[in-house]
Amino acid sequence: MVNNNHNMDDIMEREQGLNKGLSTKQITMIAIGGAIGTGLFLGSSLAIGLAGPSVILSYSVGAVIALLLMGCLAEMTVAHPTTGSFGAYAEKYVNSWAGFTIRYAYWFSLICSIGTEVTAVALYMNYWFPSVPNAVWIILFAAILLYVNATTVKLFGVVEYWFSVVKIVAIVGFIILASFVIFGADASSNIGIQNYVNDRGFFPNGFWGMWMGIFVSLFSYLSIEMIAVSAGEAEDPKKAVPIALKSAIIRLILFYILTLALMLMIVPWGMAGTDKSPFVKVMEILNIPGAASVMNFVVLIAALSAMNSQLYISTRMVFSLSRGGFAPKKLGELNKRQVPTKALFASVIGIVIAAAFSIFKPESALSLMISISSFGAMFAWFMIFITHLFFRKKYKAVDGEKLPVRMIGYPYLTILGAVLLASVVLSTWFSPDFRPTLLVGFPSLLVISIGYIVWKRVTEAKSRLMANEPEEEQVKMT
């Protein structure tokens, strides 16, 4: 029988078995690795094209939404550190439909995001090898990262840590170099704050352009919630999660907004395009020997890092679904190294989709993958806000202890986050570029909901059969 009043201890118990080998540093890097990828290094060019210099406001508003979200999620994660994370919290504090739907929608988003990252990898490799088909790079790098994720969680943690170190060093280096160039430029160099208003002003495409830029910024910040999922394999989650969340939020906001602000002083916003990273364009404009190639290597690492993190998290979502009885039992099985490899291989569908787009629609592959992959994750974000409202009302502390982490401004800031997020996502209906978000998103949500109804009826039928078996056996014996 379907039980909507699951005990959180039971949910956490059924998700046991994974190796708790991730340190606080690695968990922090997983979140940064997931969120500093294509969204910053390539997707930012799409946002700049939409918003112009006002993209700085777009990313600032997106950062506020992300900050509110992480406040809600931190409170729930420290109280219940488990792999199912916000899916498990929705199952416990809202209902089974919420737990089922949020996990599947988020998993679908992740596998498409993996496709977005691997599409970007192919674009970056074209910088050096323009004659090699994109599909070759997609298959090669997908195989390498599948191996990393299939081995041990410790190997994954080490690889992701160093991927993220490369990105952070590169971004800090970029900030220092860009600051040096800007403050040392003369008036005739066309470098400086005047680039914010030179081409049709700060809002060249009006308020609407800035608003659509928020949507791209949210795509960029997606994956910061990975910290909560990785808590299930943390050595000390109650210590690691709050530290990792605070560190990740500060770094992400600093990196995104500051780097974009500096970039737009050097590269006029009208030069934005999705053929290559705007970071690479900055290096080309500065004409530093070899710098553009080095930056292309960095953005390649960024995409691989984000893809690596998303493979990890999508695998854990499938694992959680299986252990909860929402997916085939085999997907919840672990190998000798305590890795759910069957769940891992169920999460490579996005790579196949990306390969198909890169072959048949290479000119629109990136924007299509962003649109398709965004809805599920943003639905998950929205449900995190909703779950937090239920959580605070229903949570019962153990032995009278207070929540170690509390979201400030409850319930007003929780509601504000939900309203802002929903407003941005629903606005995509009026944008031809991003309308696929809703055209694909709502039907997929309907399909998932139908799947839940079918699952519920099958589960209840099995429960009735099991309950009747003893009586039937008694009849046979008589």
Side-chain angles (χ1 to χ4, degrees):
M1 184 177 292
V2 179
N3 181 8
N4 290 343
N5 297 306
H6 297 293
N7 185 288
M8 201 64 218
D9 291 335
D10 293 337
I11 294 175
M12 293 173 69
E13 179 64 29
R14 78 189 185 204
E15 294 185 353
Q16 292 298 311
L18 296 169
N19 190 310
K20 295 184 181 294
L22 295 176
S23 66
T24 302
K25 288 183 179 179
Q26 289 172 336
I27 288 177
T28 303
M29 289 301 187
I30 287 170
I32 294 173
I36 299 181
T38 300
L40 174 60
F41 289 110
L42 190 59
S44 58
S45 61
L46 188 61
I48 293 168
L50 289 166
S54 66
V55 74
I56 298 169
L57 289 181
S58 301
Y59 273 81
S60 298
V61 175
V64 169
I65 296 173
L67 188 63
L68 295 175
L69 176 102
M70 296 317 294
C72 296
L73 193 53
E75 182 179 312
M76 296 187 290
T77 301
V78 173
H80 305 302
T82 186
T83 300
S85 184
F86 41 84
Y89 311 148
E91 179 185 345
K92 161 65 179 174
Y93 291 104
V94 184
N95 54 41
S96 287
W97 172 85
F100 183 98
T101 308
I102 191 174
R103 286 187 184 101
Y104 268 110
Y106 186 63
W107 174 73
F108 179 73
S109 169
L110 283 172
I111 62 173
C112 290
S113 293
I114 292 167
T116 304
E117 300 297 343
V118 81
T119 300
V121 166
L123 287 174
Y124 299 148
M125 293 304 295
N126 281 342
Y127 184 84
W128 295 304
F129 307 100
S131 60
V132 178
N134 287 353
V136 172
W137 303 119
I138 289 173
I139 293 168
L140 174 63
F141 287 109
I144 293 171
L145 293 185
L146 280 170
Y147 171 78
V148 169
N149 277 268
T151 307
T152 64
V153 72
K154 287 187 177 181
L155 175 62
F156 162 79
V158 169
V159 170
E160 191 52 42
Y161 179 85
W162 289 108
F163 271 170
S164 295
V165 166
V166 169
K167 290 187 290 187
I168 290 171
V169 169
I171 292 173
V172 171
F174 177 86
I175 290 171
I176 294 171
L177 175 62
S179 300
F180 176 78
V181 169
I182 291 166
F183 292 112
D186 56 49
S188 61
S189 64
N190 294 323
I191 292 176
I193 199 168
Q194 67 271 15
N195 277 337
Y196 289 169
V197 294
N198 274 352
D199 187 359
R200 292 182 287 147
F202 190 69
F203 293 90
N205 295 321
F207 176 81
W208 180 251
M210 187 278 293
W211 187 257
M212 281 296 96
I214 298 173
F215 177 75
V216 181
S217 81
L218 290 175
F219 173 79
S220 302
Y221 291 125
L222 290 177
S223 298
I224 193 173
E225 71 284 345
M226 288 182 176
I227 298 175
V229 180
S230 62
E233 290 175 88
E235 293 172 352
D236 186 359
K238 292 193 175 182
K239 176 185 176 184
V241 172
I243 294 173
L245 284 170
K246 290 176 185 176
S247 175
I249 289 169
I250 292 169
R251 291 181 191 179
L252 286 173
I253 292 173
L254 175 68
F255 291 157
Y256 273 91
I257 296 172
L258 183 56
T259 51
L260 286 171
L262 293 172
M263 184 190 302
L264 288 168
M265 291 187 196
I266 299 172
V267 181
W269 76 267
M271 294 179 63
T274 56
D275 58 320
K276 64 181 73 170
S277 169
F279 286 80
V280 175
K281 289 184 179 181
V282 168
M283 295 305 172
E284 290 177 342
I285 287 174
L286 297 179
N287 200 27
I288 301 173
S293 189
V294 170
M295 185 54 71
N296 195 64
F297 170 75
V298 171
V299 296
L300 171 66
I301 292 296
L304 289 172
S305 171
M307 181 181 168
N308 191 39
S309 294
Q310 289 159 358
L311 269 174
Y312 167 81
I313 300 298
S314 61
T315 298
R316 270 58 187 177
M317 275 292 123
V318 175
F319 170 80
S320 177
L321 282 163
S322 176
R323 289 295 178 92
F326 299 134
K329 286 185 179 180
K330 288 192 174 182
L331 296 177
E333 293 176 358
L334 303 172
N335 66 10
K336 294 179 180 179
R337 302 184 185 93
Q338 296 173 288
V339 175
T341 48
K342 292 177 181 177
L344 171 63
F345 289 107
S347 298
V348 300
I349 300 170
I351 298 171
V352 177
I353 295 172
F357 274 140
S358 68
I359 293 169
F360 299 109
K361 281 200 155 190
E363 71 288 346
S364 58
L366 182 66
S367 61
L368 272 171
M369 291 304 293
I370 287 177
S371 295
I372 292 171
S373 65
S374 295
F375 183 86
M378 291 187 188
F379 171 75
W381 276 31
F382 180 76
M383 287 302 298
I384 289 170
F385 285 120
I386 300 302
T387 303
H388 183 251
L389 294 173
F390 281 85
F391 168 82
R392 184 65 76 85
K393 289 180 180 179
K394 296 182 179 180
Y395 177 75
K396 293 181 180 179
V398 180
D399 298 327
E401 291 182 3
K402 293 182 179 180
L403 285 165
V405 176
R406 291 176 68 88
M407 169 67 175
I408 61 171
Y410 170 88
Y412 306 108
L413 291 184
T414 303
I415 294 170
L416 175 64
V419 170
L420 279 174
L421 179 63
S423 300
V424 173
V425 175
L426 293 175
S427 297
T428 60
W429 179 258
F430 303 101
S431 169
D433 290 334
F434 299 122
R435 191 172 295 155
T437 302
L438 300 180
L439 287 175
V440 174
F442 280 123
S444 66
L445 201 58
L446 178 61
V447 170
I448 293 170
S449 296
I450 292 171
Y452 168 75
I453 293 170
V454 172
W455 167 83
K456 183 178 179 180
R457 288 182 178 177
V458 169
T459 303
E460 288 177 342
K462 286 182 178 178
S463 297
R464 285 194 296 268
L465 284 172
M466 290 178 66
N468 291 332
E469 270 183 9
E471 296 178 10
E472 294 173 1
E473 290 295 323
Q474 288 177 8
V475 170
K476 287 180 182 179
M477 290 177 67
T478 303

